[in-house]
Amino acid sequence: MTTGHIYGWVRDHRVHHKFTDTDADPYNARKGFFFSHIGWVLVHKHPDVISKGASIDLSDLKQDCLVVFQRKWYQYLMLFCCFIIPTLIPWWVWSENLWCAWHLNMTRCVINLHTILSINSAAHMWGVKPYDKSISPTENAVVSFISCGEGWHNYHHVFPWDYKAAELGNYKLNIATAFIDFFAYLGLAYDLKTASVKIVKKLCSLKQRNKLK
Ligand SMILES: [Zn+2]
Ligand SMILES: [Zn+2]
């Protein structure tokens, strides 16, 4: 079964966070760059991913009618939203050659896909680890830039509940935060949680102390 719908993606993402760098991690970076980038899509899941993944609470997703709807009609929605509509828009709006429009859209898909996948690969291999050195996720500015702010991954794994997915709110390298803040301003995004400087400093000094022991 595909994991491209919201339900499957969130389930795998929660498993990735809970069992980072183990066999139960769907994108286990310990298996190398290719596996964590795209190899995991090409092979059957490790049995631990399935068994330990079954222990993850997904009740909130099952109660969300939008998530349930998107999962039920995923194959059709994906076909229309990813391929048919983006190809037809340039053809309709500025009379683009249909052949060119199709290939432009396919190029967009490939670039977008590899950008997102680089969070699981590059941002688990190259970069600094100011928050927790014992895990593979890193702070990677290049991944952050191309993925609109999702490359501050060491922070994200230590504070997964922080909506900014980064300690510093620099909009230039964190457009996703600007996007959420804009909708919070409109009142459409709410209950946003973020770690205070005090909590971040306390955790970092705790980890440093544990290392010195
Ligand atoms: Zn990760
Ligand atoms: Zn995450």
Side-chain angles (χ1 to χ4, degrees):
M1 195 180 80
T2 178
T3 55
H5 45 65
I6 301 168
Y7 184 90
W9 189 88
V10 174
R11 180 195 57 215
D12 286 355
H13 193 71
R14 286 179 185 177
V15 178
H16 169 64
H17 271 273
K18 194 167 180 186
F19 304 105
T20 309
D21 302 333
T22 68
D23 281 336
D25 178 352
Y27 334 116
N28 187 2
R30 304 264 186 240
K31 291 185 181 173
F33 179 88
F34 185 78
F35 179 85
S36 60
H37 189 72
I38 201 165
W40 64 274
V41 183
L42 310 172
V43 295
H44 288 298
K45 285 179 174 169
H46 190 283
D48 285 5
V49 175
I50 298 164
S51 61
K52 295 202 173 160
S55 66
I56 300 286
D57 180 22
L58 298 167
S59 55
D60 56 329
L61 298 177
K62 287 173 186 161
Q63 285 163 20
D64 190 314
C65 55
L66 193 66
V67 173
V68 173
F69 172 83
Q70 198 252 4
R71 188 186 182 192
K72 186 176 178 189
W73 300 102
Y74 176 71
Q75 301 293 352
Y76 302 101
L77 288 169
M78 185 265 288
L79 208 62
F80 273 93
C81 296
C82 291
F83 301 108
I84 297 175
I85 295 171
T87 301
L88 292 181
I89 286 175
W91 181 62
W92 275 331
V93 180
W94 62 89
S95 308
E96 183 60 76
N97 175 301
L98 207 53
W99 185 249
C100 285
W102 169 259
H103 283 89
L104 278 170
N105 182 51
M106 289 311 292
T107 306
R108 177 193 67 82
C109 284
V110 171
I111 292 171
N112 273 0
L113 184 71
H114 286 286
T115 298
I116 299 302
L117 294 176
S118 67
I119 301 165
N120 292 332
S121 55
H124 268 262
M125 284 180 187
W126 302 302
V128 292
K129 302 175 185 178
Y131 306 101
D132 189 348
K133 291 193 190 332
S134 67
I135 54 175
S136 70
T138 62
E139 300 287 278
N140 187 312
V142 176
V143 174
S144 270
F145 179 72
I146 61 173
S147 67
C148 299
E150 299 298 324
W152 309 117
H153 213 52
N154 192 250
Y155 180 88
H156 177 57
H157 271 263
V158 177
F159 301 100
W161 42 268
D162 188 324
Y163 83 97
K164 292 186 295 174
E167 182 189 356
L168 306 169
N170 184 344
Y171 284 167
K172 267 183 247 156
L173 285 174
N174 203 339
I175 297 166
T177 298
F179 186 81
I180 298 169
D181 284 347
F182 174 70
F183 284 98
Y185 172 75
L186 295 179
L188 296 170
Y190 41 84
D191 294 341
L192 305 179
K193 294 189 194 93
T194 189
S196 65
V197 176
K198 206 172 139 192
I199 292 176
V200 174
K201 277 187 178 165
K202 202 171 174 184
L203 186 116
C204 287
S205 62
L206 253 173
K207 294 219 179 267
Q208 189 68 23
R209 218 179 302 153
N210 286 343
K211 215 179 94 188
L212 293 172
K213 270 183 192 170

